[in-house]
């Protein structure tokens, strides 16, 4: 039997050439308004890790003067990202569950719609907690399992189909997974469709002064 990680990578490799076209409507109407939240409050010289860079949709929102490393486990997605590549951005084919960086490296870790796709989200959270600077933070825009019972049931029913077709789940409690991985969630705010689309901010538990929440 093919391991789940291999199946997920193959699905993203398959959809990479037409991913941007499929996502064009939500990107224009929704996602483009949320992406700047990920990068507020950064200072020149800060080191940033973007997990699950995909086709490079966030590149346009990188502030000047920051040092960015970006990873994805799909080589075809990275090929698409290279066409939008921001200056001084390192692109790496890597798995979030075993990041190839030293501990305490990054002042911020960002991602958009990533933890819905990771085969083991708790292990992914442990991995980013390891490479996050003690005074850093994690900022994510995700679609998650709703607290509304009806929406949660719909998400649970749809999840096998979305995993098979596109590689992502629609029924994950990402905030809980982050905390099980050793991070402290400090902000969880609904963005759209009740709380299905959510902004999540987290930091190491020993961070005495986490960066402020962006103006959502």
């Amino acid at each position: 039997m093919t391991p789940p990680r291999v199946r997920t990578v193959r699905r993203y490799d398959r959809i990479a050439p037409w991913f941007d076209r499929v996502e064009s409507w939500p990107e224009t109407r929704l996602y483009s308004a949320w992406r700047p939240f990920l990068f507020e409050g950064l200072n020149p010289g800060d080191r940033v890790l973007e997990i699950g860079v995909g086709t490079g949709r966030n590149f346009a929102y990188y502030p000047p003067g920051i040092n960015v490393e970006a990873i994805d486990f799909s080589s075809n997605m990275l090929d698409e990202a290279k066409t939008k590549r921001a200056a001084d951005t390192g692109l790496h084919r890597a798995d979030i569950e075993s990041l190839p960086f030293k501990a305490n490296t990054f002042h911020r870790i960002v991602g958009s719609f990533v933890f819905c796709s990771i085969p083991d989200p708790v292990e992914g959270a442990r991995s980013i907690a390891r490479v996050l600077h003690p005074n850093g933070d994690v900022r994510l825009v995700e679609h998650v399992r709703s607290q509304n019972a009806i929406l949660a049931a719909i998400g649970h029913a749809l999840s096998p189909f979305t995993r098979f077709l596109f590689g992502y789940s629609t029924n994950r409690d990402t905030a809980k997974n982050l905390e099980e991985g050793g991070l402290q969630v400090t902000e969880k705010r609904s963005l759209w469709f009740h709380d299905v689309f959510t902004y999540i901010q987290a930091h190491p538990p020993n961070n005495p002064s986490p960066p402020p929440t962006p103006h959502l």
Side-chain angles (χ1 to χ4, degrees):
M1 175 178 277
T2 306
R5 181 172 289 98
V6 174
R7 292 199 301 270
T8 302
V9 171
R10 286 176 179 172
R11 287 170 184 137
Y12 278 96
D13 278 343
R14 183 184 69 236
I15 66 177
W18 45 272
F19 188 82
D20 281 348
R21 291 192 293 273
V22 170
E23 295 270 298
S24 60
W25 186 91
E27 180 65 36
T28 302
R29 300 290 180 136
L30 299 170
Y31 305 162
S32 61
W34 305 337
R35 294 187 190 277
F37 305 157
L38 302 175
F39 303 102
E40 280 190 20
L42 289 170
N43 299 309
D46 282 350
R47 298 199 67 187
V48 176
L49 172 65
E50 181 173 354
I51 53 174
V53 67
T55 65
R57 289 282 199 177
N58 283 326
F59 287 171
Y61 303 91
Y62 287 179
I66 62 169
N67 303 306
V68 184
E69 304 292 340
I71 65 132
D72 204 284
F73 57 14
S74 164
S75 58
N76 288 359
M77 282 287 193
L78 287 172
D79 286 343
E80 297 295 319
K82 288 174 185 176
T83 67
K84 311 183 188 74
R85 188 172 189 165
D88 302 322
T89 300
L91 290 178
H92 311 271
R93 187 174 187 270
D95 193 323
I96 187 177
E97 296 173 30
S98 53
L99 290 167
F101 304 106
K102 294 180 180 179
N104 308 326
T105 296
F106 296 100
H107 300 95
R108 180 167 299 167
I109 298 175
V110 302
S112 47
F113 312 113
V114 175
F115 270 83
C116 56
S117 306
I118 300 169
D120 187 337
V122 174
E123 188 59 35
R126 290 192 187 101
S127 184
I128 64 174
R130 180 185 67 82
V131 302
L132 183 63
H133 190 277
N135 293 326
D137 69 338
V138 178
R139 297 189 181 193
L140 305 171
V141 172
E142 296 282 344
H143 53 75
V144 300
R145 185 177 71 215
S146 176
Q147 297 301 305
N148 177 282
I150 295 174
L151 293 176
I154 293 171
H156 186 71
L158 287 176
S159 194
F161 300 99
T162 58
R163 280 201 307 269
F164 177 77
L165 292 172
F166 306 110
Y168 65 82
S169 300
T170 54
N171 62 351
R172 287 188 174 174
D173 187 341
T174 295
K176 180 181 177 182
N177 290 334
L178 291 174
E179 292 191 329
E180 287 185 6
L183 293 164
Q184 181 177 339
V185 173
T186 54
E187 182 73 19
K188 189 171 68 168
R189 193 174 301 189
S190 174
L191 296 172
W192 187 67
F193 204 48
H194 194 60
D195 56 349
V196 171
F197 291 84
T198 297
Y199 169 82
I200 301 171
Q201 189 169 339
H203 63 78
N206 59 349
N207 184 348
S209 56
T213 301
H215 298 91
L216 304 178

